[in-house]
Amino acid sequence: MDLVKAEYIWIDGYHPTQNLRSKTKILNGPVADVKELPDWGFDGSSTLQADGNDSDCLLRPVSIFKDPIRGGNNILVMCEVFNADGTVHKSNHRAHLRELSEKFASEECWFGIEQEYTFLDLDGKPYGWPENGYPAPQGKYYCGVGSEQVYGRDIVEEHLEVCLRAGLSLSGINAEVMPAQWEYQVGPLGPLDVSDQLWIARWLLRRVSEDWGVVVSIEPKPMKGDWNGAGAHTNFSTKSMREKGGLKVIEAACEKLSKKHEEHIAVYGSSNEERLTGLHETCSIKDFRYGVSDRGASIRIPMGTANDGCGYLEDRRPSANMDPYEVCFALINTICN
Ligand code: ADP
Ligand code: MN
Ligand code: MN
Ligand code: MN
């Protein structure tokens, strides 16, 4: 008998920023398809998802990945959360995206999400920063190389390796503007796939960092002052944006987005006002602007897209702690309707 360790992963009920939770189920394997996996339950009173006197919540597997840490036939299982009576739990934003993405399947929406994050020591100080004072001001850290520029590359490399072994579609990684800040990109993929994979990549990053005694922060502004914040730029296209004449479709999408700015900001991550100040390659949270190659705009139309006359747009507003299910929902809902 081939016993499989299945790590059931879900998103809890904390507000305004949800957290990852997981627990292990031992199954007879190997498991080839998510449909073979049983539903499971958990104590929702310990995750802000239920009251103590009626605490059972339901976990329903929705996608599976190879477990690159345990290896073998072991798997990581992304789950949606339901109430005991089978209705969608209010913390389950994936269920709404599932319905919307089916409705607009013919648009063939693609997303590429850039996840920025910061390593911290257990005491909350950015990883590798001096005990007293600060490292040299920002300038040479972005995509830097060398011991004085780079903080934590071994962890980043290990994370990239396990993501690829899990079968995630990472498109790249880079060191960011603030020392100890990094980025990985997921996609382009459809809305459910990119969101599931972004959450699984977050889970793997936290899991790998446990072995290094390092904390992963996705706070939008971990260090106050003249240090860059952390975002989750969301690159978006529809089939018609990617085809000849797509630039016109992209501009029309930007006009639609301009009318829903507050609605989008409301689901683009908490404490984002600390990051979207108009400094450090951001547009103020109070303004909406779009432009070609403009990293100070809310929406950037990449140079390649402007030159080709088709391609994609980059929404620079989402913060690092956003929920991709909610961000993808908002973009499809505004642009495709
Ligand atoms: P930046 O120059 O903003 O740092 P990155 O290279 O970090 O850009 O991220 C760009 C992301 O956009 C990648 O994940 C890439 O796969 C994705 N992407 C590329 N083409 C498209 C497209 N047509 N639609 C959606 N996303 C795309
Ligand atoms: Mn990037
Ligand atoms: Mn970046
Ligand atoms: Mn970007």
Side-chain angles (χ1 to χ4, degrees):
M1 190 74 70
D2 183 9
L3 291 180
V4 167
K5 297 172 201 148
E7 191 72 7
Y8 277 51
I9 299 173
W10 76 97
I11 296 157
D12 72 11
Y14 275 65
H15 189 79
T17 302
Q18 294 173 279
N19 305 286
L20 285 157
R21 307 281 178 139
S22 69
K23 58 177 185 164
T24 309
K25 191 171 187 60
I26 308 300
L27 299 164
N28 291 325
V31 177
D33 192 292
V34 69
K35 292 190 190 75
E36 298 169 22
L37 290 168
D39 289 352
W40 202 12
F42 67 96
D43 166 19
S45 71
S46 298
T47 60
L48 297 189
Q49 283 166 306
D51 295 327
N53 52 1
D54 182 16
S55 68
D56 279 358
C57 288
L58 191 87
L59 286 179
R60 181 158 297 156
V62 292
S63 52
I64 54 172
F65 305 88
K66 283 187 267 187
D67 183 338
I69 294 180
R70 286 173 168 154
N73 282 328
N74 301 305
I75 53 175
L76 304 176
V77 183
M78 193 67 199
C79 298
E80 282 189 31
V81 177
F82 292 81
N83 299 304
D85 65 3
T87 55
V88 172
H89 193 277
K90 67 175 186 300
S91 65
N92 177 358
H93 301 126
R94 189 184 189 281
H96 308 294
L97 179 62
R98 185 155 42 79
E99 285 166 22
L100 191 74
S101 62
E102 272 165 30
K103 184 173 166 197
F104 292 110
S106 63
E107 299 266 3
E108 296 179 30
C109 296
W110 289 0
F111 294 83
I113 302 182
E114 306 168 47
Q115 174 73 65
E116 294 178 342
Y117 61 92
T118 309
F119 288 133
L120 307 176
D121 288 329
L122 289 169
D123 65 6
K125 183 172 58 63
Y127 180 75
W129 284 35
E131 285 301 330
N132 299 300
Y134 295 89
Q138 293 183 163
K140 299 184 195 163
Y141 303 112
Y142 170 75
C143 297
V145 61
S147 299
E148 78 282 35
Q149 314 297 358
V150 171
Y151 297 54
R153 194 191 298 276
D154 287 347
I155 316 170
V156 171
E157 287 290 325
E158 191 177 325
H159 175 249
L160 175 60
E161 184 62 31
V162 296
C163 284
L164 295 177
R165 286 214 305 267
L168 304 185
S169 295
L170 261 63
S171 67
I173 58 169
N174 61 268
E176 268 304 336
V177 175
M178 184 179 98
Q181 201 168 75
W182 295 85
E183 168 180 317
Y184 60 85
Q185 302 107 30
V186 182
L189 291 166
L192 290 174
D193 285 334
V194 81
S195 302
D196 288 351
Q197 292 196 20
L198 191 82
W199 276 113
I200 295 289
R202 285 175 175 175
W203 188 91
L204 284 168
L205 182 58
R206 298 183 69 84
R207 173 63 191 83
V208 163
S209 298
E210 281 176 14
D211 294 347
W212 296 82
V214 166
V215 173
V216 179
S217 168
I218 52 172
E219 279 299 301
K221 189 75 179 180
M223 293 308 286
K224 315 300 164 208
D226 202 12
W227 301 101
N228 271 37
H233 297 166
T234 301
N235 300 274
F236 175 85
S237 63
T238 59
K239 187 164 183 281
S240 57
M241 291 178 181
R242 295 187 295 269
E243 288 172 347
K244 195 161 176 285
L247 192 56
K248 287 256 169 320
V249 185
I250 291 171
E251 283 162 359
C254 291
E255 288 300 326
K256 283 184 173 179
L257 288 167
S258 73
K259 298 187 174 67
K260 297 270 178 73
H261 179 61
E262 285 80 19
E263 227 174 89
H264 281 253
I265 289 295
V267 294
Y268 276 11
S270 65
S271 305
N272 205 7
E273 68 285 353
E274 294 177 23
R275 164 179 165 262
L276 296 180
T277 56
L279 302 172
H280 304 115
E281 299 167 69
T282 71
C283 182
S284 165
I285 199 165
K286 296 189 214 88
D287 302 327
F288 179 93
R289 287 191 292 124
Y290 67 92
V292 174
S293 291
D294 185 354
R295 289 176 189 266
S298 319
I299 308 286
R300 176 175 68 105
I301 299 173
M303 189 180 56
T305 295
N307 289 344
D308 296 347
C310 59
Y312 62 100
L313 62 84
E314 177 192 45
D315 192 339
R316 300 177 60 81
R317 298 171 294 172
S319 73
N321 62 358
M322 60 69 145
D323 176 359
Y325 298 127
E326 292 201 274
V327 170
C328 292
F329 185 101
L331 283 167
I332 298 173
N333 202 35
T334 298
I335 293 172
C336 295
N337 261 314

